[in-house]
Amino acid sequence: MEVKKLVRVWGIIFATLLLVACQHVPEPQSLQADSQWQQGQLKNGMQYHLLPISGEPVSLRLLVHTGAVDETAEQAGYAHFLEHMAFLGSSGFGAKHVESLFVDAGVSFGNDLNAFTTHDVTTYQIDLPNNERLESAMTWLSDIATGKLTLDPSLIENEKGAVLGEFRFAQRGDKPAELKVFEALLQGSRYEGKDVLGTTASITSLNRDGLLSFYRAHYLPQNTVLIITGDIDREQLEPMIAQHFSASEKAVVQDIKTESEDEGIADLTSEPLFISGSAGQLSGMALLVELTDKQVTTDAEYQTLLLEDTVIQAIALRLQDRHIEAQSPLLNSFAYNSLYINRRIGEIVVEFEESDRLAAQNFFAEELASLRDHGVDDVELATIKETWRNDVNGLDTQWLNKKAANFSDDRLYTLMEGKTQLSKEVIRSQLQQFIKQLDQAKLNQAINKYLSAANNKPVLLLTREENTEKAKATFAQFQTQFSASGKELLRASSSGDFPLPEKGGEITSYEVIEPTTHRWTLENGVDVWLRQMPESGDDVYLYLMSSGGIAALQPELYHAAAMVGPVFARSGLAGFSAPEFNKLLLRHNTYIEPVLWKTSHGLYSETAKKELPFALSVLNQAMTAAKVDEQQFAAVQHELTVEQNNWLLSPFGRFANQSYGTLYPADSPNQIITGDDLEQVTPDQVQAVFDTLMKKKRNFTLVVSADIEVEDFNRMLRRYVAGIPFESAALITDYRTEPKVSIASMNVMEAVDNTINYEVNLFSQGEPKTTRDRFTADLFYRLLDKRYRDNLRNAHGLSYAPSITLLWFDGSGEALVSFVVNAAPDKLDAVRSSTQQVLQKARMGFTDTEFTAAKSQLAADLKAGLTNPQSQARMLSSYLLFGADPQAVIHPEKIMSTLTLAEVNALSERLIGKNTQQMEAMLTPKEG
């Protein structure tokens, strides 16, 4: 089960609030709640929330208002441990694993069946493909809520191993900087010292009586909320809810905490934090900014939320642009907002090389001061407002693509954060009002207040090797620079329109594959497929892809290939600098990125339907006119070199480097690239990678998922795609990477924590994947992964998350199956033995029961994918490039119905049989 601490790592943008007071405004009005939700409450105090959606799958969430904050010191980790035990039997289900009760209905553990614990709540999730197992799901959740968990002592002892494994999985000893910041902000609150996982001592000494006492004290009806969405009927469901959730074992009566008793996190102070990161983390600095309360229940609070999000967007945009324009000493910059328990805090973060701390912090201070004192320019404002308009225009499509599970999660987090659940139309109205009222003066005033707050808290992130006193000495200069008046920037405003292609081309053939699937061949040889999908709404998904990838390159270009994406992202396009081009893409609601995989390459794009001509024009220019900017190349080269060298000094970096060095020849594209390798790359080599891949005609195929008419698409193909010129090139037919060992074992003693990472890798050679192989490989993976998890975690408690990975690239006959596990050092022999046991039994084949269950899971996933436009475009592109049957993407049930266990077992013999090459690798603690 996933543990969420409601703290976000650097670089992940989260929904936000910014403290900006509005003057002379009308009295705030309560936000109108979404009336489609139906609510009720049982006599015992349990609440329920229902949202009927005809024809949808059924999703259930159980929210229990208890978490780590409710534990005594002796009970540390009990709330989370109890969450684990909810999957290990109840009076309604005996001692079975709950997963086995639903697996034959297509429910997958982790995706459809899961739970998480925070400081304040514990939640349980089950997503069903239909309403046929609703009664069973209700029984499981009601057993949890009404005191009927078995809490078998033997299972408790076994589960201790998995929970202690979660400590290792979360790197409890070598804590990352963001976790240390989180813990620092909890000081002085009722949350101080409350770790969701508990402590090693508390988990080791845990017993049934203590866990049962905590269970009965906190799993009370008045603490519990049930959420159900999907194909349900309220009149039929409410009696079922009352039947299952009204009864409960006698509970210890206690007062339920109220909001007024909740001692939340204290206000930020301006006292700086100096934090040492985990192994491999970069040097950096962050500015934490105090925000308003997390609850959003009035229109004024919602408007404040939107303004905060806009300020964050403006800061992120400015830092990214200036980093490129000034070729700054930064390596990365981020701006986002995080939720720390009950408090929203803005985070502005930069990362840099340790030796550049002084220069990087000065740059950071100068840019923030400039933005604070002079605000955004016209182009930045126009870009930001257009992104909000795009959000308004995309609301219908967003709602169209929401599934029952999405609505359940929305309700869950709304209740957790004390917000009001809003309908699409209320959100639309609020967004339109915000856009109408947003002007330069209002935004700049908000930015000024955001960056001028007295309680902004600086955080200096130090590497493990960095001198703390030396870093502290640089802080005074940052303060001086940041408090000084900011300089007004003289920035060139982007002008002109994006160029249209100089020439178009013709369509040489067209056919209707089926009513919603069409195919064209263009005169330049590009094969085009259109999947007309109403589910796309106003969104369009494009893959312009070719087979080849890394395999199409000469060995001397392998290292340059690693730089292609970031270099071209910084080089601009069609006369626009990278900052100008990025803002242009934002205004046109278009995203584009290069794709470079082992066996394929091309471009991926998302856009709005009305912006499709613009997106295709960008695609045309990217294919024909992309050029390396040598100044930006130098900046990117330096940044990537620093980051790669830093990672290679970390335990996992050393481990990966030695593993791949043992497995593959020195000239293999699978070798880990070092900083020295990157320093040898030239701009001409990066350009050569691009020209070799994008200008050679092998089998370029354009696949589009959209709700558009054929006639409209015809015109766009002629104008934007058919005229792209290509040079002829032979197809790549050999995708082998040739591992160089038959049997090997490697131990790298670099781990910082008292933990081991253990892997067994099995290599096989054979024919490339057929259409049927794509299905049988998925089934094989599911079957082997479940066996490994059942053995190492559920049966023996050796690890929290043992897993299987399967790498089998399209077009290649080479496959890699890896057993991966993290465990305690004294369990190495047991892990080795269990891994070999799973491997040997798998070589003997899987059973009909296992096969039927995995087939049900795959069928459920494929059915969901049929209405996912992005998934359909991606899969269809892959099938077309490598000779698989495209009809299997559109009608997977035709293949699924004919698959046999014998096929899966035959593939298993090929992938993990006795003839495969095998390598064992271990990352173990340093000696001494």
Side-chain angles (χ1 to χ4, degrees):
M1 281 68 70
E2 180 185 3
V3 178
K4 297 185 179 178
K5 303 174 184 62
L6 298 183
V7 57
R8 299 296 185 258
V9 297
W10 305 128
I12 302 178
I13 298 180
F14 191 71
T16 62
L17 290 174
L18 166 68
L19 181 58
V20 179
C22 298
Q23 299 178 352
H24 309 298
V25 295
E27 190 71 21
Q29 300 296 311
S30 296
L31 288 167
Q32 183 179 352
D34 188 346
S35 60
Q36 294 185 83
W37 281 91
Q38 302 166 358
Q39 298 173 227
Q41 183 170 329
L42 301 181
K43 292 180 180 179
N44 61 13
M46 193 203 84
Q47 299 178 8
Y48 56 88
H49 301 251
L50 312 177
L51 181 64
I53 314 172
S54 179
E56 268 286 298
V58 174
S59 293
L60 301 93
R61 304 289 183 269
L62 183 71
L63 170 62
V64 184
H65 286 284
T66 191
V69 74
D70 300 304
E71 300 163 349
T72 65
E74 294 74 20
Q75 296 171 330
Y78 277 32
H80 171 245
F81 199 97
L82 190 57
E83 170 221 311
H84 277 240
M85 295 306 299
F87 292 81
L88 299 177
S90 67
S91 60
F93 290 127
K96 295 179 181 178
H97 292 283
V98 171
E99 178 185 2
S100 63
L101 303 170
F102 299 100
V103 67
D104 61 336
V107 173
S108 300
F109 181 79
N111 293 326
D112 307 313
L113 184 67
N114 213 329
F116 68 82
T117 304
T118 75
H119 284 77
D120 290 303
V121 302
T122 306
T123 74
Y124 301 87
Q125 161 203 339
I126 181 166
D127 296 324
L128 304 170
N130 50 52
N131 58 18
E132 294 178 6
R133 295 295 182 91
L134 178 56
E135 181 83 32
S136 295
M138 294 275 281
T139 301
W140 175 54
L141 293 179
S142 65
D143 278 2
I144 296 171
T146 58
K148 297 177 183 176
L149 293 183
T150 308
L151 305 183
D152 185 299
S154 63
L155 293 177
I156 287 175
E157 289 305 309
N158 188 71
E159 195 63 18
K160 287 180 181 180
V163 173
L164 292 173
E166 201 164 350
F167 278 75
R168 295 186 300 273
F169 188 80
Q171 296 183 308
R172 310 306 295 173
D174 191 25
K175 293 180 181 179
E178 57 271 14
L179 180 55
K180 293 180 181 179
V181 172
F182 176 70
E183 292 175 342
L185 295 181
L186 298 188
Q187 292 178 6
S189 75
R190 63 197 296 263
Y191 297 95
E192 182 177 359
K194 299 285 188 178
D195 192 307
V196 173
L197 291 179
T199 66
T200 301
S202 66
I203 298 304
T204 302
S205 62
L206 182 148
N207 58 52
R208 185 182 190 275
D209 289 344
L211 190 62
L212 181 61
S213 176
F214 181 87
Y215 181 32
R216 289 178 170 173
H218 296 286
Y219 275 59
L220 305 174
Q222 61 266 43
N223 278 354
T224 307
V225 182
L226 178 67
I227 301 167
I228 309 179
T229 63
D231 196 4
I232 56 175
D233 179 85
R234 179 175 186 173
E235 291 185 2
Q236 296 177 356
L237 194 56
E238 284 187 316
M240 190 187 302
I241 293 173
Q243 175 189 348
H244 282 82
F245 289 89
S246 292
S248 65
E249 294 181 6
K250 185 177 180 181
V252 177
V253 178
Q254 67 170 31
D255 293 332
I256 306 302
K257 61 179 180 290
T258 63
E259 192 69 27
S260 60
E261 297 169 337
D262 187 5
E263 298 173 12
I265 299 175
D267 292 348
L268 293 177
T269 68
S270 58
E271 186 70 22
L273 285 175
F274 296 91
I275 300 291
S276 175
S278 58
Q281 283 197 288
L282 295 165
S283 294
M285 183 176 184
L287 197 64
L288 307 185
V289 182
E290 187 74 62
L291 306 178
T292 51
D293 187 76
K294 67 180 181 179
Q295 295 187 352
V296 180
T297 59
T298 69
D299 57 356
E301 290 170 341
Y302 195 85
Q303 290 295 308
T304 298
L305 180 150
L306 298 176
L307 186 57
E308 296 160 354
D309 202 31
T310 305
V311 171
I312 278 291
Q313 187 180 356
I315 293 172
L317 188 63
R318 174 63 66 86
L319 286 175
Q320 291 164 7
D321 284 358
R322 289 292 294 155
H323 170 50
I324 297 172
E325 292 170 352
Q327 296 189 40
S328 78
L330 304 183
L331 296 174
N332 299 297
S333 67
F334 315 104
Y336 51 93
N337 289 328
S338 296
L339 182 64
Y340 286 74
I341 307 291
N342 66 327
R343 187 173 298 283
R344 294 190 180 277
I345 294 175
E347 305 186 40
I348 313 166
V349 186
V350 292
E351 295 177 332
F352 40 79
E353 192 173 6
E354 180 183 328
S355 60
D356 287 334
R357 176 175 291 280
L358 185 60
Q361 289 179 175
N362 285 343
F363 175 83
F364 187 39
E366 290 173 0
E367 295 304 322
L368 292 183
S370 175
L371 183 59
R372 176 195 65 210
D373 296 338
H374 302 284
V376 299
D377 59 33
D378 293 339
V379 176
E380 288 171 318
L381 178 66
T383 300
I384 290 169
K385 291 192 72 169
E386 195 60 37
T387 61
W388 282 118
R389 293 190 185 97
N390 291 335
D391 285 350
V392 174
N393 295 333
L395 273 176
D396 290 333
T397 301
Q398 180 186 344
W399 246 254
L400 180 66
N401 291 322
K402 275 192 174 187
K403 305 301 181 183
N406 302 126
F407 284 107
S408 285
D409 286 337
D410 286 350
R411 193 65 163 187
L412 174 68
Y413 286 100
T414 294
L415 293 172
M416 287 171 56
E417 297 181 24
K419 295 181 180 178
T420 298
Q421 185 85 50
L422 305 180
S423 68
K424 177 180 64 175
E425 293 310 318
V426 169
I427 293 175
R428 190 195 311 275
S429 175
Q430 288 292 325
L431 288 174
Q432 290 172 336
Q433 177 184 339
F434 175 74
I435 295 168
K436 183 178 180 181
Q437 296 178 350
L438 182 65
D439 57 27
Q440 209 161 1
K442 183 175 183 178
L443 178 55
N444 287 342
Q445 181 183 11
I447 291 171
N448 181 274
K449 188 158 190 174
Y450 196 127
L451 295 177
S452 300
N455 55 356
N456 286 358
K457 190 175 192 67
V459 179
L460 274 71
L461 168 63
L462 283 62
T463 66
R464 296 171 66 89
E465 298 79 19
E466 194 167 357
N467 183 288
T468 303
E469 294 305 315
K470 185 178 179 181
K472 286 182 177 180
T474 67
F475 177 62
Q477 188 163 339
F478 170 84
Q479 285 183 305
T480 300
Q481 191 70 50
F482 184 53
S483 60
S485 297
K487 298 178 182 178
E488 185 171 7
L489 298 176
L490 297 177
R491 306 178 70 204
S493 60
S494 59
S495 60
D497 296 323
F498 199 79
L500 296 174
E502 293 183 2
K503 60 172 289 187
E506 293 301 322
I507 295 170
T508 58
S509 68
Y510 164 74
E511 62 178 316
V512 179
I513 303 299
E514 58 177 41
T516 60
T517 306
H518 307 262
R519 178 183 181 182
W520 293 260
T521 302
L522 308 183
E523 68 170 299
N524 58 0
V526 175
D527 198 27
V528 181
W529 286 66
L530 170 65
R531 287 280 286 129
Q532 291 175 308
M533 300 185 67
E535 297 88 352
S536 298
D538 287 327
D539 292 338
V540 179
Y541 302 89
L542 307 92
Y543 283 90
L544 179 61
M545 298 291 293
S546 169
S547 63
I550 299 295
L553 299 174
Q554 296 298 313
E556 59 267 22
L557 296 180
Y558 289 161
H559 300 156
M563 298 182 64
V564 166
V567 167
F568 280 99
R570 293 268 284 274
S571 293
L573 187 65
F576 291 82
S577 69
E580 292 170 340
F581 181 56
N582 291 338
K583 287 194 281 286
L584 188 67
L585 290 174
L586 287 171
R587 291 198 296 274
H588 284 276
N589 199 15
T590 297
Y591 172 80
I592 187 168
E593 70 170 346
V595 176
L596 180 51
W597 293 326
K598 298 291 184 182
T599 61
S600 61
H601 62 271
L603 295 169
Y604 169 69
S605 181
E606 295 177 16
T607 191
K609 186 160 57 176
K610 71 174 184 178
E611 299 289 358
L612 182 54
F614 170 80
L616 290 174
S617 187
V618 169
L619 183 147
N620 182 292
Q621 286 291 317
M623 293 292 292
T624 60
K627 296 295 180 184
V628 172
D629 181 314
E630 294 198 8
Q631 284 189 322
Q632 294 299 336
F633 166 86
V636 171
Q637 186 178 48
H638 172 70
E639 293 167 17
L640 294 181
T641 298
V642 171
E643 291 177 352
Q644 191 70 359
N645 282 338
N646 199 66
W647 177 71
L648 285 171
L649 290 174
S650 71
F652 278 104
R654 293 180 187 271
F655 180 57
N657 196 27
Q658 293 192 42
S659 295
Y660 283 84
T662 302
L663 286 170
Y664 297 104
D667 61 350
S668 168
N670 288 337
Q671 284 284 351
I672 297 294
I673 296 174
T674 67
D676 289 341
D677 295 330
L678 293 172
E679 285 183 335
Q680 303 305 313
V681 175
T682 67
D684 288 344
Q685 287 178 318
V686 174
Q687 187 69 53
V689 171
F690 180 87
D691 293 343
T692 299
L693 298 178
M694 299 303 194
K695 296 190 176 182
K696 304 286 187 181
K697 180 177 68 177
R698 292 182 175 88
N699 57 347
F700 262 108
T701 303
L702 174 64
V703 177
V704 178
S705 288
D707 187 16
I708 57 176
E709 297 298 326
V710 167
E711 292 74 13
D712 296 333
F713 197 49
N714 271 330
R715 290 190 292 272
M716 286 184 266
L717 289 178
R718 290 190 180 96
R719 186 73 182 90
Y720 300 103
V721 183
I724 298 174
F726 293 99
E727 303 171 17
S728 295
L731 286 174
I732 307 299
T733 58
D734 187 356
Y735 288 102
R736 291 176 298 176
T737 53
E738 298 293 354
K740 67 181 183 182
V741 297
S742 293
I743 299 176
S745 182
M746 182 193 72
N747 183 12
V748 179
M749 290 182 287
E750 289 288 344
V752 177
D753 286 330
N754 187 33
T755 184
I756 62 167
N757 288 278
Y758 177 80
E759 296 180 4
V760 173
N761 301 297
L762 297 103
F763 294 87
S764 61
Q765 295 280 4
E767 295 299 317
K769 282 187 287 190
T770 65
T771 302
R772 297 180 72 82
D773 285 338
R774 291 169 180 262
F775 290 80
T776 53
D778 192 304
L779 291 170
F780 162 77
Y781 160 75
R782 292 168 187 264
L783 290 164
L784 189 61
D785 187 69
K786 186 177 187 304
R787 277 208 184 172
Y788 199 44
R789 179 162 39 85
D790 282 349
N791 187 299
L792 270 80
R793 174 178 172 156
N794 298 336
H796 297 113
L798 293 173
S799 175
Y800 167 63
S803 63
I804 300 294
T805 60
L806 169 59
L807 293 179
W808 188 359
F809 289 103
D810 296 333
S812 173
E814 183 179 276
L816 169 64
V817 177
S818 299
F819 294 77
V820 182
V821 63
N822 175 278
D826 62 352
K827 301 296 184 182
L828 177 58
D829 289 341
V831 166
R832 275 176 150 165
S833 176
S834 294
T835 299
Q836 288 301 316
Q837 183 183 47
V838 172
L839 177 58
Q840 295 305 322
K841 287 188 176 181
R843 285 171 172 171
M844 297 170 63
F846 299 99
T847 67
D848 284 322
T849 301
E850 290 175 302
F851 174 70
T852 299
K855 198 173 177 181
S856 297
Q857 291 177 328
L858 177 56
D861 289 346
L862 290 172
K863 183 178 179 181
L866 290 175
T867 57
N868 184 315
Q870 196 276 341
S871 177
Q872 282 284 292
R874 175 183 52 79
M875 291 177 63
L876 188 55
S877 174
S878 170
Y879 275 54
L880 292 168
L881 288 182
F882 295 96
D885 182 2
Q887 288 289 341
V889 177
I890 305 167
H891 302 290
E893 69 282 357
K894 294 181 179 179
I895 300 291
M896 287 290 296
S897 63
T898 64
L899 294 177
T900 66
L901 176 59
E903 286 179 283
V904 175
N905 283 335
L907 181 63
S908 176
E909 174 62 27
R910 169 184 166 180
L911 298 181
I912 61 171
K914 295 179 180 179
N915 293 328
T916 55
Q917 299 183 57
Q918 186 172 150
M919 177 186 156
E920 176 188 64
M922 294 159 284
L923 173 63
T924 60
K926 294 180 179 180
E927 290 185 337

